[in-house]
Amino acid sequence: MRNKISIIGAGFVGSTTAHWVAEKEIGDIVLLDIPATDTMPKGKALDLLEAGPVLGYDTHIVGTTDYKDTADSDIVVITAGLPRKPGMTREDLVGKNQAIITDVVNNVVKTSPNAILIVVTNPLDTMAYLAHKVSGLPRHRVIGQAGVLDSARMRTFIAQELNVSVQNTHAFVLGGHGDEMVPLVRYSTVAGVPITELMPADRVTAIVDRTRKGGGEIVNLLKTGSAYFAPGAAVAEMVEAILKDRKLILPCAAYLDGEYGLKDMYFGVPVKLGRDGIEEIVQIKLLPDEQEMLNKSAELVRGTMSALKF
Ligand code: APR
């Protein structure tokens, strides 16, 4: 039996995720959006399907506005939501996206009770927490995508700086998906060597800073929206790790229950991804200043979470 991956929200992130997932041939794809989008999801799905013969994939892809078509998905990726518009406070955005995520999750748990959810909608940690609460699913089946993207950005900058293959780079970005995220330089390496030994301290600082502002950098360049190629690729890697039961350790937003000294919140930490979703929260030893940075990031996430209304 083929795996089934549903993607809720057929906008930029949703359709790009479908594109990367289709190429991996790891399951069939359903792309869903709201009825107001009419036949748009069908159009995007058909277009992607027709790329199959050129690229050589046999992935089935359908577009829909009806949750019935998503029934019994193995994985549901949630990208539905509004972006922050000028003049909108973070709280306004939380309010609008709370309504959307609640609607989506209620539909998803009814039609795909056994699915693993991957949340992409921002503000990420808060929306992942909301999806966990609304779904009533165990924490290992509700995962937030942020760390893979943030780490990929950091790896890009490291590779550029040292003129090496991105494949030689490794980076760990933990914490909330915002300006206070925590790029761990000690654990960021090129061919196993910490970057602190490969470049001057001011270059490390510049890379950390650019990583933290990586989302904003794209927004400023695009002017009409936020990133979607790299976010979609990051989700595809998570989907593949789960469906292939790879036990791949990746930084993801997970529900913490005391790990890293934090409780009752979603936060970016290293996790082991396999067929059951989050199979382990990997606890790495942090230095006091690193833990302090994580605490500061957690405070910011809690501030955003406080705008949720139950
Ligand atoms: N159910 C399903 N889809 C919905 C719903 C809903 N209740 N409400 C909105 N959508 C759809 C919209 O119709 C739109 O097609 O979500 C899609 C969002 O797409 P875009 O506006 O293109 O936004 P995108 O760039 O894809 O970002 C989506 O991902 O990275 C995050 O910050 C980003 O929160 C944002 C999300």
Side-chain angles (χ1 to χ4, degrees), residues 7-16 32-37 40-41 44 67 78-84 93 96-97 99-104 107 119-124 127 145 149 177 224-228 231:
I7 300 170
I8 313 300
F12 281 98
V13 177
S15 51
T16 312
L32 179 141
D33 212 301
I34 45 174
T37 60
M40 178 275 275
K44 289 197 176 177
Y67 276 92
I78 302 176
T79 75
L82 296 183
R84 198 158 134 194
L93 181 68
K96 294 252 189 293
N97 283 350
I100 292 173
I101 295 297
T102 303
D103 167 59
V104 169
N107 278 298
V119 180
V120 190
T121 307
N122 276 311
L124 190 274
M127 291 302 128
Q145 186 298 118
L149 168 64
H177 185 50
T224 52
S226 49
Y228 48 97

Side-chain angles (χ1 to χ4, degrees), residues 179-210:
D179 293 349
E180 293 295 336
M181 67 180 73
V182 184
L184 287 180
V185 292
R186 262 188 329 130
Y187 292 110
S188 299
T189 58
V190 171
V193 181
I195 58 167
T196 43
E197 290 181 25
L198 299 171
M199 61 179 91
D202 63 324
R203 295 310 303 153
V204 174
T205 306
I207 285 175
V208 165
D209 192 48
R210 191 171 174 197

Side-chain angles (χ1 to χ4, degrees), residues 18-74:
H19 172 181
W20 296 127
V21 171
E23 279 201 280
K24 288 181 181 284
E25 274 193 316
I26 44 178
D28 291 334
I29 300 171
V30 180
L31 195 54
L32 179 141
D33 212 301
I34 45 174
T37 60
D38 199 10
T39 55
M40 178 275 275
K42 281 191 169 51
K44 289 197 176 177
L46 182 60
D47 195 12
L48 263 177
L49 188 71
E50 290 168 353
V54 182
L55 295 173
Y57 58 72
D58 278 307
T59 306
H60 298 161
I61 309 157
V62 296
T64 186
T65 55
D66 187 341
Y67 276 92
K68 271 198 217 123
D69 297 320
T70 69
D72 298 320
S73 295
D74 296 283

